[in-house]
Amino acid sequence: MEEKKNLCAHTYDGGVTEKNIEEWKRKHRKVFRIDVVDDGDLHVGYFHRPSMETLAAVSKLGKENEIRGAETLFKGCWLGGSDELLNDSVLFTATMEQLNKALGGCLSSLKNL
């Protein structure tokens, strides 16, 4: 069986371990990993679903400043990983695109009875 080669020069994950991930899963139920590759470097971030308080803050701030709203969502869901995902504007934008996809992934339906 061939080993999969890591094509990235460096991986930045904030030192997160499998033990951390298991603890986060027990505490938050759903945990998401977002990978962003930039110029050959892999930046990894771990997130959970937002609380109602976080969503309320995002809604309020987002009306005045979308970036501040996105930053609030990021910080409210952040568990660990590469700090560059928040500090670098290009990495932040790529991360938020994936985080929004993850948070909008539920299906719902309505049935008249």
Side-chain angles (χ1 to χ4, degrees), residues 91-111:
L91 299 178
F92 175 79
T93 302
T95 303
M96 289 310 301
E97 181 180 334
Q98 295 304 313
L99 185 58
N100 285 323
K101 284 181 186 178
L103 299 178
C106 293
L107 299 175
S108 63
S109 64
L110 171 68
K111 294 179 184 180

Side-chain angles (χ1 to χ4, degrees), residues 13-28 31 46 79-80:
D13 63 3
V16 171
T17 66
E18 285 299 318
K19 183 178 178 183
N20 296 131
I21 295 167
E22 290 306 315
E23 288 172 4
W24 293 334
K25 284 181 179 180
R26 278 192 296 279
K27 183 175 181 181
H28 300 288
V31 173
Y46 298 89
L79 293 168

Side-chain angles (χ1 to χ4, degrees), residues 25-64:
K25 284 181 179 180
R26 278 192 296 279
K27 183 175 181 181
H28 300 288
R29 194 172 64 90
K30 295 282 187 178
V31 173
F32 308 100
R33 173 182 161 150
I34 297 176
D35 293 349
V36 179
V37 177
D38 181 41
D39 197 28
D41 292 331
L42 174 63
H43 294 269
V44 180
Y46 298 89
F47 300 85
H48 64 85
R49 288 180 170 175
S51 66
M52 292 303 285
E53 292 82 11
T54 297
L55 289 178
V58 168
S59 178
K60 182 178 179 180
L61 289 170
K63 290 176 184 173
E64 297 173 20

